[in-house]
Amino acid sequence: TSCLVLLDNLSESENMKEETRRQFLSEITRQLTSVGWLVQVLLKLSRLDAGVVELKEEELSVSSLIRGTIEKVGLLAEWKQINIQVMGEDEAFIKGDRRWLEEALVNLIKNAIEHSPEASEIRIQVEDNQVYTCIHVRDFGSGISYEDQKHIFERFYRVDSSRSKKISGSGLGLSIVKHIAE
């Protein structure tokens, strides 16, 4: 609706200032990009729900997987001056689908970045033993209350503190992470 109002203004105002026209076009682009992202996330969730996702099982280097993920969120971290530290097993390997595992890690790390204060750090710790390999993502934000922790994997659930900080998010990222992990 907002895009339509802006487009109406653009088409009906022949004498609109160039700067205002650019602002309207920029806002339309921002909103359409956001809607496009939301559609992509919903499509991914629908595919996971329907069980039509075919996961490849290949041996993956955990450090390579983490490096690839950090590259995808690097600009966001840099913008907030957040240092991402990776610690743990350099020689760890797991079996899984690289694309979907990166998707899960991107969502976790992006979430950590969004909820971290500026000029802080995020720690990614790899724990590898004979039974499992675990990737811990830790930020130093304000945390999540015990009551909210019960709901963080529910679709569209957003902690009240993220709403008040105006963190742009749909409440779908952690739901995707859960589906991929399962």
Side-chain angles (χ1 to χ4, degrees):
T1 303
S2 179
C3 285
L4 290 173
V5 169
L6 291 169
L7 285 169
D8 282 344
N9 279 318
L10 282 169
S11 64
E12 293 175 2
S13 303
E14 292 177 21
N15 298 328
M16 183 182 286
K17 292 180 183 177
E18 188 60 31
E19 179 61 26
T20 304
R21 184 176 302 281
R22 273 194 226 113
Q23 287 175 341
F24 279 24
L25 289 171
S26 176
E27 180 59 19
I28 291 168
T29 301
R30 187 190 67 74
Q31 289 184 22
L32 289 176
T33 300
S34 178
V35 168
W37 176 85
L38 183 59
V39 168
Q40 289 299 319
V41 169
L42 289 171
L43 286 172
K44 287 174 187 175
L45 275 171
S46 295
R47 290 180 62 215
L48 288 166
D49 281 347
V52 297
V53 173
E54 291 184 31
L55 299 175
K56 295 180 196 172
E57 190 169 306
E58 58 184 313
E59 184 122 340
L60 303 168
S61 159
V62 174
S63 63
S64 172
L65 181 69
I66 291 171
R67 276 194 314 272
T69 302
I70 290 172
E71 284 177 20
K72 292 180 178 182
V73 296
L75 285 175
L76 181 60
E78 188 178 311
W79 180 68
K80 283 190 75 176
Q81 300 172 348
I82 293 175
N83 184 25
I84 300 176
Q85 296 288 323
V86 180
M87 300 168 278
E89 308 290 330
D90 287 337
E91 302 299 319
F93 284 85
I94 58 172
K95 287 188 179 184
D97 187 296
R98 176 177 294 279
R99 189 173 61 115
W100 285 100
L101 289 172
E102 275 188 3
E103 178 77 25
L105 280 173
V106 162
N107 279 301
L108 284 173
I109 297 169
K110 182 176 173 277
N111 192 62
I113 292 169
E114 288 174 346
H115 295 278
S116 291
E118 287 192 23
S120 63
E121 80 175 13
I122 292 172
R123 294 183 186 156
I124 301 171
Q125 174 76 43
V126 178
E127 178 187 345
D128 188 38
N129 61 49
Q130 291 184 7
V131 180
Y132 62 86
T133 300
C134 186
I135 302 171
H136 302 271
V137 177
R138 180 175 185 205
D139 67 60
F140 294 90
S142 60
I144 303 169
S145 74
Y146 179 75
E147 187 59 38
D148 284 326
Q149 288 177 23
K150 299 174 191 175
H151 304 286
I152 61 171
F153 295 108
E154 295 173 11
R155 287 182 190 177
F156 305 110
Y157 187 81
R158 294 184 63 210
V159 176
D160 284 332
S161 63
S162 68
R163 288 184 194 122
S164 64
K165 292 178 187 173
K166 302 204 184 226
I167 294 173
S168 66
S170 61
L172 293 171
L174 293 179
S175 180
I176 286 179
V177 171
K178 179 182 179 213
H179 276 73
I180 293 169
E182 289 173 342

